[in-house]
Amino acid sequence: MMSLTLVELANRSGVSSSHLGRIERGERFPSARILQRMAKPLGFEENELFALAGYLSASSPRLAEEGPSYIGGRLDPYVAKVLSQEPVDVQRAVIGILSLLKSIARGMTKE
Amino acid sequence: MMSLTLVELANRSGVSSSHLGRIERGERFPSARILQRMAKPLGFEENELFALAGYLSASSPRLAEEGPSYIGGRLDPYVAKVLSQEPVDVQRAVIGILSLLKSIARGMTKE
DNA sequence: ATCATAATTCGCCAAATGGCAAAAGTCAAA
DNA sequence: TTTGACTTTTGCCATTTGGCGAATTATGAT
């Protein structure tokens, strides 16, 4: 692989050359976001780089084919998309509301 | 799924309950290391959680097209997980409730 | 209502990251 | 040797995270 200067890598990754220099010298440890931005310019897949950095365990398996299907359930893609456009605290509030409605429903069935 | 208290999740993950509370309320965004520690107690694979948090891109290998990283937004992993345990019509109803609340809020800000 | 316990939230601060701008270093051309 | 262009490093500071310990809230028993 052709080696890149810090400035070239900075241009391609959007990470400042001063920070890349510090990472290279071991003065800073890159966060996951920085690694994510560095991966392609360096010729890595993101999860490869994450594993190298210790952010992903070596034992972590590949994702299931169906995408985000979780233990016991699957999230509707439309719902996921709409919710993802909202701020995180709104998303959390939605869960709170759902819990509230469920407990109201449970209270109603106890009568 | 049995829901965990913050204290229980803290014990299983090694992350403090006060920090978990802040993450849950949207006051802090968890770093990759924190997500790594939270994954198994929450019933996720690490890379699932990373993808949900936006640390791994949708273009990362083995993530479905419907992956949770959407244009302009990110879906909270806890929200995604909790909702995925519900039937699809409940998930859709949640969106309806959210729309209703937003229109109520818009009506209030017009005063 | 009170009390004890558990859970959650908050104030605060240390630690770490990451970028700006300047300083220092490198190198080839003149 | 000097100069200019380019690269790398450094000083500094804003921002963010994450944990401690205290305060507050919630809950169930009495």
mmCIF file of all heavy atoms in Angstrom, chain C residues 9-26:
data_model
loop_
_atom_site.group_PDB
_atom_site.id
_atom_site.type_symbol
_atom_site.label_atom_id
_atom_site.label_comp_id
_atom_site.label_asym_id
_atom_site.label_seq_id
_atom_site.Cartn_x
_atom_site.Cartn_y
_atom_site.Cartn_z
ATOM 1 P P DT C 9 -33.603 8.650 36.069
ATOM 2 O OP1 DT C 9 -34.767 9.141 35.316
ATOM 3 O OP2 DT C 9 -32.505 7.922 35.396
ATOM 4 O "O5'" DT C 9 -32.969 9.888 36.856
ATOM 5 C "C5'" DT C 9 -33.791 10.605 37.774
ATOM 6 C "C4'" DT C 9 -32.981 11.659 38.471
ATOM 7 O "O4'" DT C 9 -32.056 11.032 39.387
ATOM 8 C "C3'" DT C 9 -32.147 12.545 37.558
ATOM 9 O "O3'" DT C 9 -32.471 13.888 37.875
ATOM 10 C "C2'" DT C 9 -30.708 12.197 37.901
ATOM 11 C "C1'" DT C 9 -30.826 11.726 39.346
ATOM 12 N N1 DT C 9 -29.795 10.777 39.829
ATOM 13 C C2 DT C 9 -29.096 11.083 40.966
ATOM 14 O O2 DT C 9 -29.257 12.118 41.596
ATOM 15 N N3 DT C 9 -28.185 10.132 41.362
ATOM 16 C C4 DT C 9 -27.923 8.921 40.749
ATOM 17 O O4 DT C 9 -27.103 8.142 41.198
ATOM 18 C C5 DT C 9 -28.696 8.663 39.558
ATOM 19 C C7 DT C 9 -28.490 7.396 38.804
ATOM 20 C C6 DT C 9 -29.588 9.588 39.160
ATOM 21 P P DC C 10 -31.887 15.106 37.016
ATOM 22 O OP1 DC C 10 -32.947 16.125 36.938
ATOM 23 O OP2 DC C 10 -31.237 14.590 35.796
ATOM 24 O "O5'" DC C 10 -30.744 15.659 37.985
ATOM 25 C "C5'" DC C 10 -31.070 15.947 39.343
ATOM 26 C "C4'" DC C 10 -29.823 16.385 40.077
ATOM 27 O "O4'" DC C 10 -29.039 15.225 40.421
ATOM 28 C "C3'" DC C 10 -28.923 17.292 39.254
ATOM 29 O "O3'" DC C 10 -28.640 18.461 40.027
ATOM 30 C "C2'" DC C 10 -27.669 16.461 39.002
ATOM 31 C "C1'" DC C 10 -27.683 15.477 40.162
ATOM 32 N N1 DC C 10 -27.062 14.154 39.869
ATOM 33 C C2 DC C 10 -26.126 13.631 40.756
ATOM 34 O O2 DC C 10 -25.823 14.271 41.767
ATOM 35 N N3 DC C 10 -25.576 12.421 40.492
ATOM 36 C C4 DC C 10 -25.933 11.751 39.407
ATOM 37 N N4 DC C 10 -25.373 10.560 39.178
ATOM 38 C C5 DC C 10 -26.876 12.266 38.478
ATOM 39 C C6 DC C 10 -27.412 13.456 38.744
ATOM 40 P P DG C 11 -27.949 19.725 39.385
ATOM 41 O OP1 DG C 11 -28.749 20.904 39.746
ATOM 42 O OP2 DG C 11 -27.642 19.422 37.961
ATOM 43 O "O5'" DG C 11 -26.575 19.781 40.183
ATOM 44 C "C5'" DG C 11 -26.592 19.718 41.600
ATOM 45 C "C4'" DG C 11 -25.168 19.657 42.132
ATOM 46 O "O4'" DG C 11 -24.653 18.315 42.000
ATOM 47 C "C3'" DG C 11 -24.194 20.572 41.410
ATOM 48 O "O3'" DG C 11 -23.326 21.133 42.389
ATOM 49 C "C2'" DG C 11 -23.450 19.622 40.462
ATOM 50 C "C1'" DG C 11 -23.454 18.332 41.257
ATOM 51 N N9 DG C 11 -23.444 17.118 40.445
ATOM 52 C C8 DG C 11 -24.175 16.874 39.307
ATOM 53 N N7 DG C 11 -23.971 15.679 38.806
ATOM 54 C C5 DG C 11 -23.059 15.102 39.661
ATOM 55 C C6 DG C 11 -22.461 13.817 39.639
ATOM 56 O O6 DG C 11 -22.636 12.909 38.828
ATOM 57 N N1 DG C 11 -21.581 13.635 40.706
ATOM 58 C C2 DG C 11 -21.308 14.574 41.672
ATOM 59 N N2 DG C 11 -20.438 14.222 42.611
ATOM 60 N N3 DG C 11 -21.857 15.775 41.711
ATOM 61 C C4 DG C 11 -22.724 15.980 40.686
ATOM 62 P P DC C 12 -22.250 22.260 41.961
ATOM 63 O OP1 DC C 12 -22.057 23.123 43.140
ATOM 64 O OP2 DC C 12 -22.617 22.831 40.656
ATOM 65 O "O5'" DC C 12 -20.936 21.384 41.764
ATOM 66 C "C5'" DC C 12 -20.568 20.467 42.783
ATOM 67 C "C4'" DC C 12 -19.477 19.557 42.276
ATOM 68 O "O4'" DC C 12 -20.029 18.534 41.428
ATOM 69 C "C3'" DC C 12 -18.406 20.247 41.435
ATOM 70 O "O3'" DC C 12 -17.199 20.242 42.181
ATOM 71 C "C2'" DC C 12 -18.304 19.406 40.166
ATOM 72 C "C1'" DC C 12 -19.012 18.126 40.553
ATOM 73 N N1 DC C 12 -19.643 17.391 39.428
ATOM 74 C C2 DC C 12 -19.319 16.042 39.239
ATOM 75 O O2 DC C 12 -18.515 15.504 40.003
ATOM 76 N N3 DC C 12 -19.899 15.371 38.217
ATOM 77 C C4 DC C 12 -20.762 15.984 37.416
ATOM 78 N N4 DC C 12 -21.308 15.276 36.434
ATOM 79 C C5 DC C 12 -21.097 17.350 37.589
ATOM 80 C C6 DC C 12 -20.528 18.021 38.599
ATOM 81 P P DC C 13 -15.931 21.120 41.723
ATOM 82 O OP1 DC C 13 -15.324 21.658 42.954
ATOM 83 O OP2 DC C 13 -16.313 22.013 40.611
ATOM 84 O "O5'" DC C 13 -14.969 19.995 41.141
ATOM 85 C "C5'" DC C 13 -14.807 18.787 41.879
ATOM 86 C "C4'" DC C 13 -14.180 17.750 40.983
ATOM 87 O "O4'" DC C 13 -15.179 17.211 40.082
ATOM 88 C "C3'" DC C 13 -13.066 18.292 40.090
ATOM 89 O "O3'" DC C 13 -11.990 17.382 40.136
ATOM 90 C "C2'" DC C 13 -13.695 18.325 38.703
ATOM 91 C "C1'" DC C 13 -14.615 17.126 38.797
ATOM 92 N N1 DC C 13 -15.708 17.109 37.795
ATOM 93 C C2 DC C 13 -16.066 15.886 37.204
ATOM 94 O O2 DC C 13 -15.463 14.866 37.537
ATOM 95 N N3 DC C 13 -17.056 15.867 36.274
ATOM 96 C C4 DC C 13 -17.678 17.002 35.953
ATOM 97 N N4 DC C 13 -18.644 16.933 35.029
ATOM 98 C C5 DC C 13 -17.330 18.246 36.538
ATOM 99 C C6 DC C 13 -16.349 18.256 37.448
ATOM 100 P P DA C 14 -10.475 17.904 39.898
ATOM 101 O OP1 DA C 14 -9.904 18.231 41.207
ATOM 102 O OP2 DA C 14 -10.463 18.902 38.808
ATOM 103 O "O5'" DA C 14 -9.815 16.566 39.361
ATOM 104 C "C5'" DA C 14 -10.165 15.330 39.974
ATOM 105 C "C4'" DA C 14 -10.058 14.211 38.954
ATOM 106 O "O4'" DA C 14 -11.204 14.232 38.079
ATOM 107 C "C3'" DA C 14 -8.832 14.306 38.054
ATOM 108 O "O3'" DA C 14 -8.326 12.987 37.873
ATOM 109 C "C2'" DA C 14 -9.381 14.903 36.752
ATOM 110 C "C1'" DA C 14 -10.787 14.340 36.723
ATOM 111 N N9 DA C 14 -11.766 15.178 36.030
ATOM 112 C C8 DA C 14 -11.953 16.524 36.167
ATOM 113 N N7 DA C 14 -12.920 17.003 35.427
ATOM 114 C C5 DA C 14 -13.412 15.895 34.768
ATOM 115 C C6 DA C 14 -14.450 15.725 33.825
ATOM 116 N N6 DA C 14 -15.213 16.731 33.380
ATOM 117 N N1 DA C 14 -14.679 14.491 33.353
ATOM 118 C C2 DA C 14 -13.920 13.485 33.794
ATOM 119 N N3 DA C 14 -12.909 13.513 34.679
ATOM 120 C C4 DA C 14 -12.712 14.759 35.132
ATOM 121 P P DA C 15 -6.930 12.794 37.101
ATOM 122 O OP1 DA C 15 -6.230 11.682 37.772
ATOM 123 O OP2 DA C 15 -6.256 14.090 36.873
ATOM 124 O "O5'" DA C 15 -7.452 12.263 35.700
ATOM 125 C "C5'" DA C 15 -8.349 11.170 35.663
ATOM 126 C "C4'" DA C 15 -8.760 10.908 34.237
ATOM 127 O "O4'" DA C 15 -9.744 11.879 33.826
ATOM 128 C "C3'" DA C 15 -7.620 11.004 33.221
ATOM 129 O "O3'" DA C 15 -7.651 9.846 32.411
ATOM 130 C "C2'" DA C 15 -7.919 12.280 32.428
ATOM 131 C "C1'" DA C 15 -9.426 12.371 32.541
ATOM 132 N N9 DA C 15 -9.958 13.729 32.447
ATOM 133 C C8 DA C 15 -9.517 14.845 33.111
ATOM 134 N N7 DA C 15 -10.216 15.925 32.853
ATOM 135 C C5 DA C 15 -11.185 15.489 31.969
ATOM 136 C C6 DA C 15 -12.238 16.153 31.310
ATOM 137 N N6 DA C 15 -12.501 17.453 31.463
ATOM 138 N N1 DA C 15 -13.027 15.432 30.499
ATOM 139 C C2 DA C 15 -12.778 14.122 30.343
ATOM 140 N N3 DA C 15 -11.811 13.383 30.905
ATOM 141 C C4 DA C 15 -11.049 14.141 31.710
ATOM 142 P P DA C 16 -6.387 9.532 31.483
ATOM 143 O OP1 DA C 16 -6.146 8.083 31.608
ATOM 144 O OP2 DA C 16 -5.298 10.507 31.694
ATOM 145 O "O5'" DA C 16 -6.999 9.807 30.048
ATOM 146 C "C5'" DA C 16 -8.214 9.168 29.670
ATOM 147 C "C4'" DA C 16 -8.780 9.888 28.470
ATOM 148 O "O4'" DA C 16 -9.330 11.153 28.882
ATOM 149 C "C3'" DA C 16 -7.749 10.210 27.392
ATOM 150 O "O3'" DA C 16 -7.956 9.376 26.273
ATOM 151 C "C2'" DA C 16 -7.964 11.684 27.055
ATOM 152 C "C1'" DA C 16 -9.245 12.047 27.792
ATOM 153 N N9 DA C 16 -9.239 13.404 28.311
ATOM 154 C C8 DA C 16 -8.350 13.948 29.203
ATOM 155 N N7 DA C 16 -8.588 15.210 29.482
ATOM 156 C C5 DA C 16 -9.709 15.509 28.722
ATOM 157 C C6 DA C 16 -10.451 16.689 28.563
ATOM 158 N N6 DA C 16 -10.179 17.832 29.189
ATOM 159 N N1 DA C 16 -11.512 16.657 27.717
ATOM 160 C C2 DA C 16 -11.786 15.518 27.089
ATOM 161 N N3 DA C 16 -11.166 14.343 27.154
ATOM 162 C C4 DA C 16 -10.116 14.411 27.999
ATOM 163 P P DT C 17 -7.118 9.622 24.927
ATOM 164 O OP1 DT C 17 -7.040 8.304 24.292
ATOM 165 O OP2 DT C 17 -5.886 10.402 25.166
ATOM 166 O "O5'" DT C 17 -8.130 10.526 24.102
ATOM 167 C "C5'" DT C 17 -9.477 10.088 23.983
ATOM 168 C "C4'" DT C 17 -10.298 11.142 23.261
ATOM 169 O "O4'" DT C 17 -10.286 12.368 23.999
ATOM 170 C "C3'" DT C 17 -9.792 11.472 21.853
ATOM 171 O "O3'" DT C 17 -10.920 11.446 21.008
ATOM 172 C "C2'" DT C 17 -9.197 12.870 21.990
ATOM 173 C "C1'" DT C 17 -10.025 13.455 23.129
ATOM 174 N N1 DT C 17 -9.373 14.517 23.948
ATOM 175 C C2 DT C 17 -9.959 15.764 24.023
ATOM 176 O O2 DT C 17 -10.974 16.060 23.412
ATOM 177 N N3 DT C 17 -9.302 16.653 24.827
ATOM 178 C C4 DT C 17 -8.162 16.422 25.562
ATOM 179 O O4 DT C 17 -7.687 17.296 26.251
ATOM 180 C C5 DT C 17 -7.604 15.098 25.441
ATOM 181 C C7 DT C 17 -6.363 14.748 26.186
ATOM 182 C C6 DT C 17 -8.225 14.208 24.649
ATOM 183 P P DG C 18 -10.733 11.270 19.431
ATOM 184 O OP1 DG C 18 -11.974 10.700 18.888
ATOM 185 O OP2 DG C 18 -9.435 10.633 19.167
ATOM 186 O "O5'" DG C 18 -10.624 12.795 18.957
ATOM 187 C "C5'" DG C 18 -11.790 13.603 19.024
ATOM 188 C "C4'" DG C 18 -11.440 15.009 18.608
ATOM 189 O "O4'" DG C 18 -10.720 15.659 19.680
ATOM 190 C "C3'" DG C 18 -10.541 15.107 17.366
ATOM 191 O "O3'" DG C 18 -11.127 16.068 16.509
ATOM 192 C "C2'" DG C 18 -9.196 15.568 17.927
ATOM 193 C "C1'" DG C 18 -9.639 16.377 19.134
ATOM 194 N N9 DG C 18 -8.644 16.518 20.183
ATOM 195 C C8 DG C 18 -7.734 15.583 20.602
ATOM 196 N N7 DG C 18 -6.980 16.006 21.593
ATOM 197 C C5 DG C 18 -7.433 17.280 21.843
ATOM 198 C C6 DG C 18 -7.015 18.238 22.806
ATOM 199 O O6 DG C 18 -6.134 18.131 23.641
ATOM 200 N N1 DG C 18 -7.742 19.415 22.710
ATOM 201 C C2 DG C 18 -8.763 19.643 21.809
ATOM 202 N N2 DG C 18 -9.349 20.825 21.870
ATOM 203 N N3 DG C 18 -9.163 18.767 20.909
ATOM 204 C C4 DG C 18 -8.466 17.612 20.986
ATOM 205 P P DG C 19 -10.632 16.298 15.032
ATOM 206 O OP1 DG C 19 -11.762 15.929 14.163
ATOM 207 O OP2 DG C 19 -9.303 15.672 14.832
ATOM 208 O "O5'" DG C 19 -10.454 17.870 14.972
ATOM 209 C "C5'" DG C 19 -11.520 18.699 15.428
ATOM 210 C "C4'" DG C 19 -11.004 20.096 15.624
ATOM 211 O "O4'" DG C 19 -10.193 20.143 16.824
ATOM 212 C "C3'" DG C 19 -10.113 20.585 14.489
ATOM 213 O "O3'" DG C 19 -10.491 21.912 14.167
ATOM 214 C "C2'" DG C 19 -8.705 20.507 15.050
ATOM 215 C "C1'" DG C 19 -8.934 20.722 16.544
ATOM 216 N N9 DG C 19 -7.945 20.070 17.389
ATOM 217 C C8 DG C 19 -7.484 18.786 17.288
ATOM 218 N N7 DG C 19 -6.586 18.479 18.191
ATOM 219 C C5 DG C 19 -6.458 19.637 18.940
ATOM 220 C C6 DG C 19 -5.630 19.923 20.055
ATOM 221 O O6 DG C 19 -4.822 19.180 20.623
ATOM 222 N N1 DG C 19 -5.804 21.222 20.505
ATOM 223 C C2 DG C 19 -6.674 22.143 19.964
ATOM 224 N N2 DG C 19 -6.711 23.331 20.533
ATOM 225 N N3 DG C 19 -7.448 21.885 18.912
ATOM 226 C C4 DG C 19 -7.285 20.627 18.457
ATOM 227 P P DC C 20 -9.922 22.659 12.922
ATOM 228 O OP1 DC C 20 -11.091 23.098 12.140
ATOM 229 O OP2 DC C 20 -8.849 21.868 12.294
ATOM 230 O "O5'" DC C 20 -9.246 23.950 13.581
ATOM 231 C "C5'" DC C 20 -9.944 24.646 14.608
ATOM 232 C "C4'" DC C 20 -9.029 25.685 15.218
ATOM 233 O "O4'" DC C 20 -8.147 25.054 16.173
ATOM 234 C "C3'" DC C 20 -8.153 26.393 14.207
ATOM 235 O "O3'" DC C 20 -8.175 27.788 14.496
ATOM 236 C "C2'" DC C 20 -6.764 25.784 14.407
ATOM 237 C "C1'" DC C 20 -6.804 25.375 15.877
ATOM 238 N N1 DC C 20 -6.006 24.165 16.200
ATOM 239 C C2 DC C 20 -5.142 24.192 17.300
ATOM 240 O O2 DC C 20 -5.046 25.226 17.963
ATOM 241 N N3 DC C 20 -4.424 23.082 17.593
ATOM 242 C C4 DC C 20 -4.561 21.982 16.859
ATOM 243 N N4 DC C 20 -3.843 20.919 17.192
ATOM 244 C C5 DC C 20 -5.437 21.917 15.742
ATOM 245 C C6 DC C 20 -6.135 23.021 15.454
ATOM 246 P P DA C 21 -7.688 28.819 13.388
ATOM 247 O OP1 DA C 21 -8.517 30.042 13.549
ATOM 248 O OP2 DA C 21 -7.579 28.146 12.076
ATOM 249 O "O5'" DA C 21 -6.212 29.156 13.899
ATOM 250 C "C5'" DA C 21 -6.033 29.532 15.253
ATOM 251 C "C4'" DA C 21 -4.564 29.495 15.598
ATOM 252 O "O4'" DA C 21 -4.146 28.123 15.819
ATOM 253 C "C3'" DA C 21 -3.649 30.044 14.505
ATOM 254 O "O3'" DA C 21 -2.697 30.896 15.130
ATOM 255 C "C2'" DA C 21 -2.980 28.802 13.926
ATOM 256 C "C1'" DA C 21 -2.924 27.905 15.155
ATOM 257 N N9 DA C 21 -2.821 26.472 14.870
ATOM 258 C C8 DA C 21 -3.376 25.777 13.829
ATOM 259 N N7 DA C 21 -3.102 24.494 13.842
ATOM 260 C C5 DA C 21 -2.315 24.335 14.971
ATOM 261 C C6 DA C 21 -1.681 23.211 15.546
ATOM 262 N N6 DA C 21 -1.771 21.983 15.042
ATOM 263 N N1 DA C 21 -0.955 23.408 16.660
ATOM 264 C C2 DA C 21 -0.864 24.644 17.177
ATOM 265 N N3 DA C 21 -1.411 25.769 16.733
ATOM 266 C C4 DA C 21 -2.128 25.548 15.620
ATOM 267 P P DA C 22 -1.731 31.851 14.292
ATOM 268 O OP1 DA C 22 -2.063 33.246 14.634
ATOM 269 O OP2 DA C 22 -1.704 31.401 12.875
ATOM 270 O "O5'" DA C 22 -0.340 31.497 14.952
ATOM 271 C "C5'" DA C 22 -0.282 31.284 16.364
ATOM 272 C "C4'" DA C 22 0.880 30.383 16.701
ATOM 273 O "O4'" DA C 22 0.571 29.017 16.321
ATOM 274 C "C3'" DA C 22 2.181 30.739 15.996
ATOM 275 O "O3'" DA C 22 3.202 30.821 16.975
ATOM 276 C "C2'" DA C 22 2.414 29.592 15.021
ATOM 277 C "C1'" DA C 22 1.710 28.440 15.723
ATOM 278 N N9 DA C 22 1.264 27.370 14.834
ATOM 279 C C8 DA C 22 0.472 27.483 13.714
ATOM 280 N N7 DA C 22 0.224 26.334 13.126
ATOM 281 C C5 DA C 22 0.893 25.402 13.918
ATOM 282 C C6 DA C 22 1.029 24.004 13.832
ATOM 283 N N6 DA C 22 0.461 23.270 12.857
ATOM 284 N N1 DA C 22 1.773 23.378 14.772
ATOM 285 C C2 DA C 22 2.334 24.117 15.732
ATOM 286 N N3 DA C 22 2.283 25.442 15.923
ATOM 287 C C4 DA C 22 1.537 26.028 14.967
ATOM 288 P P DA C 23 4.674 31.338 16.585
ATOM 289 O OP1 DA C 23 5.070 32.316 17.617
ATOM 290 O OP2 DA C 23 4.707 31.698 15.142
ATOM 291 O "O5'" DA C 23 5.514 30.006 16.781
ATOM 292 C "C5'" DA C 23 5.348 29.249 17.977
ATOM 293 C "C4'" DA C 23 6.099 27.940 17.850
ATOM 294 O "O4'" DA C 23 5.386 27.066 16.944
ATOM 295 C "C3'" DA C 23 7.517 28.086 17.270
ATOM 296 O "O3'" DA C 23 8.375 27.314 18.091
ATOM 297 C "C2'" DA C 23 7.394 27.544 15.848
ATOM 298 C "C1'" DA C 23 6.283 26.524 15.993
ATOM 299 N N9 DA C 23 5.520 26.283 14.768
ATOM 300 C C8 DA C 23 4.912 27.202 13.969
ATOM 301 N N7 DA C 23 4.271 26.677 12.950
ATOM 302 C C5 DA C 23 4.467 25.311 13.089
ATOM 303 C C6 DA C 23 4.053 24.199 12.324
ATOM 304 N N6 DA C 23 3.304 24.299 11.226
ATOM 305 N N1 DA C 23 4.427 22.969 12.747
ATOM 306 C C2 DA C 23 5.174 22.865 13.852
ATOM 307 N N3 DA C 23 5.624 23.839 14.655
ATOM 308 C C4 DA C 23 5.234 25.047 14.207
ATOM 309 P P DA C 24 9.945 27.393 17.882
ATOM 310 O OP1 DA C 24 10.569 27.308 19.210
ATOM 311 O OP2 DA C 24 10.273 28.476 16.934
ATOM 312 O "O5'" DA C 24 10.203 26.001 17.129
ATOM 313 C "C5'" DA C 24 9.718 24.795 17.727
ATOM 314 C "C4'" DA C 24 9.925 23.656 16.769
ATOM 315 O "O4'" DA C 24 8.968 23.758 15.679
ATOM 316 C "C3'" DA C 24 11.307 23.600 16.114
ATOM 317 O "O3'" DA C 24 11.822 22.295 16.315
ATOM 318 C "C2'" DA C 24 11.038 23.913 14.635
ATOM 319 C "C1'" DA C 24 9.616 23.415 14.478
ATOM 320 N N9 DA C 24 8.859 24.047 13.399
ATOM 321 C C8 DA C 24 8.664 25.381 13.170
ATOM 322 N N7 DA C 24 7.916 25.639 12.126
ATOM 323 C C5 DA C 24 7.602 24.385 11.624
ATOM 324 C C6 DA C 24 6.840 23.964 10.510
ATOM 325 N N6 DA C 24 6.219 24.801 9.688
ATOM 326 N N1 DA C 24 6.733 22.637 10.298
ATOM 327 C C2 DA C 24 7.350 21.800 11.132
ATOM 328 N N3 DA C 24 8.093 22.070 12.209
ATOM 329 C C4 DA C 24 8.175 23.398 12.398
ATOM 330 P P DG C 25 13.277 21.919 15.776
ATOM 331 O OP1 DG C 25 13.870 21.061 16.820
ATOM 332 O OP2 DG C 25 13.966 23.127 15.297
ATOM 333 O "O5'" DG C 25 12.920 21.009 14.509
ATOM 334 C "C5'" DG C 25 12.053 19.901 14.667
ATOM 335 C "C4'" DG C 25 11.851 19.226 13.328
ATOM 336 O "O4'" DG C 25 10.984 20.035 12.503
ATOM 337 C "C3'" DG C 25 13.133 19.012 12.525
ATOM 338 O "O3'" DG C 25 13.111 17.672 12.038
ATOM 339 C "C2'" DG C 25 13.041 20.036 11.404
ATOM 340 C "C1'" DG C 25 11.544 20.149 11.207
ATOM 341 N N9 DG C 25 11.088 21.414 10.641
ATOM 342 C C8 DG C 25 11.327 22.674 11.122
ATOM 343 N N7 DG C 25 10.749 23.614 10.406
ATOM 344 C C5 DG C 25 10.103 22.917 9.397
ATOM 345 C C6 DG C 25 9.309 23.398 8.309
ATOM 346 O O6 DG C 25 9.021 24.549 8.029
ATOM 347 N N1 DG C 25 8.842 22.349 7.515
ATOM 348 C C2 DG C 25 9.091 21.018 7.746
ATOM 349 N N2 DG C 25 8.561 20.160 6.882
ATOM 350 N N3 DG C 25 9.825 20.564 8.749
ATOM 351 C C4 DG C 25 10.302 21.565 9.532
ATOM 352 P P DT C 26 14.376 17.111 11.272
ATOM 353 O OP1 DT C 26 14.499 15.691 11.694
ATOM 354 O OP2 DT C 26 15.503 18.050 11.390
ATOM 355 O "O5'" DT C 26 13.873 17.142 9.759
ATOM 356 C "C5'" DT C 26 12.634 16.534 9.431
ATOM 357 C "C4'" DT C 26 12.397 16.620 7.941
ATOM 358 O "O4'" DT C 26 11.891 17.937 7.605
ATOM 359 C "C3'" DT C 26 13.644 16.396 7.099
ATOM 360 O "O3'" DT C 26 13.318 15.463 6.082
ATOM 361 C "C2'" DT C 26 13.952 17.784 6.528
ATOM 362 C "C1'" DT C 26 12.563 18.417 6.468
ATOM 363 N N1 DT C 26 12.508 19.902 6.538
ATOM 364 C C2 DT C 26 11.731 20.574 5.633
ATOM 365 O O2 DT C 26 11.090 20.022 4.755
ATOM 366 N N3 DT C 26 11.720 21.928 5.783
ATOM 367 C C4 DT C 26 12.386 22.668 6.749
ATOM 368 O O4 DT C 26 12.296 23.875 6.789
ATOM 369 C C5 DT C 26 13.189 21.889 7.667
ATOM 370 C C7 DT C 26 13.962 22.582 8.739
ATOM 371 C C6 DT C 26 13.205 20.562 7.523
#
